[in-house]
Amino acid sequence: MAMTKSEKIWMNGRFVAWDDAKVHVLSHAMHYGSSVFEGIRAYRTPKGPAILRLSEHIERLLNSAKIYRMKSEYTQAQIEQACLETVGINKLEECYIRPLIYRGYDHVGVNPIGTPVELAIAAYPWGKYLGNDALEKGVAVKIGTWARMAPNTLPAMAKAGGNYLNSQLLKLEAVADGYSEAIALDTNGYVSEGSGENLFVVVKGELLTPPLHASILNGITRDSVMQLARELNIPVREAIIPRELLYICDELFFSGTAVEVTPITSVDRVVVKDGSVGPVTKAIQKAFFGIVNGEVPDRHGWLTPVPQAAAVRA
Ligand SMILES: Cc1ncc(COP(=O)(O)O)c(C=O)c1O
């Protein structure tokens, strides 16, 4: 999947040309996975581009950095502003935004003390993560043979580059076996999450999702889905989910910035209900896309408009 380049990338306080946004090969992050990042979407709305849940994403970015003792010289407000400017300067109507805090070049060695903590922000066009049909028709998934990290190994709440080695193993296995995605279990054998998305299960009208202690990332879309469900009077709660519940549930869907709200129609080739997208999933999709596309009022204040002025600052 070749990516569509945009013009400029924000690096440590200034914009550089896309092709010049480079790091030294001996940067700490290259060798030891010492980076934390976010994935954020900006949506096209009738009032212009708007970034979805910007402050929550940057808060999580800085929390991920804090967990790894990476002290960024930029504040939450400065990073939010830089994200807005990166979308603006690239004149993007809708896009994916990737802020990355990483340990740069100083010395090679596990001890990170002394390495500079750097920040880069890219924004570029990006389509539907699991294919154009995924949102409407759903996807086929498998249970991965790799478990999510045990709680006292790597912190799942940090969105750290190193965690995605586990995600890559899951994704590679899923694709090699002919599935769109893999769902991982935690080290207790209970359902955790997908390689890059949270999971919701509908059982008898109730929406269930694994809790934080099932080694999940505390997803921001997960939070949006839970809020929307409550407003739609759909009971929702965190629950320990055994693998086999995925085979016999009524509906199943992923949530995440990349997948948005994507239905799952089979697990390990076992069809979920009759294989169609169910009513709860449809209701959540409708509520979610209504807000992000600016079709219904943004009653939660989830969208930050990209100011026109940001587009002209070089
Ligand atoms: C492992 C993992 N779980 C869940 C999610 C969903 O999180 P969010 O909704 O904040 O994008 C992501 C995506 O960031 C992820 O990488």
Side-chain angles (χ1 to χ4, degrees), residues 4 55 70 76 78 87 91 175 188 191 273 278 291-292 295:
T4 309
S55 64
M70 295 162 79
Q76 162 120 14
Q78 286 170 326
V87 177
K91 300 182 183 65
V175 172
N188 291 317
V191 173
K273 213 64 184 180
I291 291 174
V292 301
E295 289 153 7

Side-chain angles (χ1 to χ4, degrees), residues 60 148 159 164 193 195-198 217 219-221 256-257:
R60 188 173 67 186
R148 219 71 182 127
K159 192 169 168 62
Y164 287 81
E193 62 178 349
S195 73
E197 49 280 301
N198 295 115
L217 183 74
I220 292 161
T221 321
T257 298

Side-chain angles (χ1 to χ4, degrees), residues 11-38:
M11 277 188 95
N12 298 316
R14 63 189 188 97
F15 283 107
V16 298
W18 178 281
D19 289 330
D20 295 334
K22 294 178 179 159
V23 294
H24 196 281
V25 72
L26 294 179
S27 295
H28 199 269
M30 287 283 286
H31 298 257
Y32 306 112
S34 40
S35 65
V36 296
F37 67 98
E38 274 304 315

